[in-house]
Amino acid sequence: MNISEASNNSGSVTEFILLGFPCRREIQILLFVIFSLIYLLTLMGNTSIICTVWSSRKLHTPMYILLANFSFLEICYVSSDVPKMLTNIISQTKSISFAGCLLQFYFFFSMCATEGYFLSAMSFDRFLAICRPLHYPTIMTHHLCAQLVVSCWVGGFLSILIPAILMSRVPFCGPNIIDHFFCDLGPLLALSCAPVPKTTLTCATVSSLIIFITFLYILGSYTLVLCAVLWVPAVSSRNKAFSTCASHFLVVSLFYGSVMVMYVSPGSRSHPGTQKFVTLFYCMATPFFNPLIYSLRNKDMKDALKKVLGAPSNEISKNTEE
């Protein structure tokens, strides 16, 4: 593998080498097969949710519209870095151009920010449905749902615009070897030829604000939901409300748990092996488990999915959400 520094006439780096998972060839092939299988199952699972919501008029409600957009986001999210990772695993050069690296950085972290906003919007929807059930139809209209969807997408891409512009101005003159499987923030800043305190501070501030503001909002929403559910006298209604929120909060826990370990924990960036594992978890595990968590526990989703797949309406598990 050629890992020599690539420079142009001015001495700046024109491409980076993504080391990925340096190990024996047999293990790399095994990793390629495993990651490819997870990637394909992720695409199939999230696509099935989108098609199910699209084809079933019963699911044309704000809750499922948000879920369908979230599934489409997961497809874009996992596709922003995994295809390049798979290519580099079996490639001998393992290179990515300077422009490609910056684009990957921008799209990946924009998707991360958008995911935080969508999880916040979904928690707002569940808060209204459980804590304000009588006002829910008049508040959570299709118009408001559309505004939330657009705001999440636009907000996610605008949030990372300034960090991406600042990263494009960071001087890289060698070495050009990134001990990671994608262009992550920490490894990129570590290759800078000169200290860039303003860029580092801006990126850290933006990421921390997005993580903590959205997480605290979601935590506050579910705290209010929990308090409201505990006051519900009927056990069946209480269990249904718990089941509805459990799926959402499980996805939230998977995503924010790994992201906080990666970008908030002080020692997380000092160990490349740990960094790769945690990053691999939140960039592949959450999109993979999302269809399973949301569809297998949802009666309406399972019924509609069976109709889409042409399967017979057999017995449905009683442990489902609304």
Side-chain angles (χ1 to χ4, degrees), residues 74-100:
E74 296 286 53
I75 292 174
C76 298
Y77 177 49
V78 76
S79 298
S80 64
D81 63 328
V82 173
K84 184 62 179 178
M85 177 187 73
L86 293 175
T87 302
N88 283 345
I89 287 179
I90 59 175
S91 173
Q92 293 297 322
T93 58
K94 304 184 184 298
S95 63
I96 183 172
S97 66
F98 179 81

Side-chain angles (χ1 to χ4, degrees), residues 132-190:
R132 302 288 187 271
L134 298 179
H135 300 285
Y136 180 80
T138 58
I139 297 176
M140 184 54 75
T141 61
H142 285 279
H143 179 67
L144 177 59
C145 182
Q147 288 182 324
L148 288 174
V149 169
V150 173
S151 298
C152 289
W153 282 105
V154 174
F157 280 85
L158 289 180
S159 298
I160 309 300
L161 188 58
I162 293 178
I165 293 174
L166 292 176
M167 286 298 298
S168 68
R169 298 177 180 177
V170 173
F172 296 106
C173 52
N176 68 328
I177 303 171
I178 301 176
D179 190 8
H180 211 311
F181 60 83
F182 88 109
C183 296
D184 201 359
L185 175 63
L188 273 176
L189 290 176

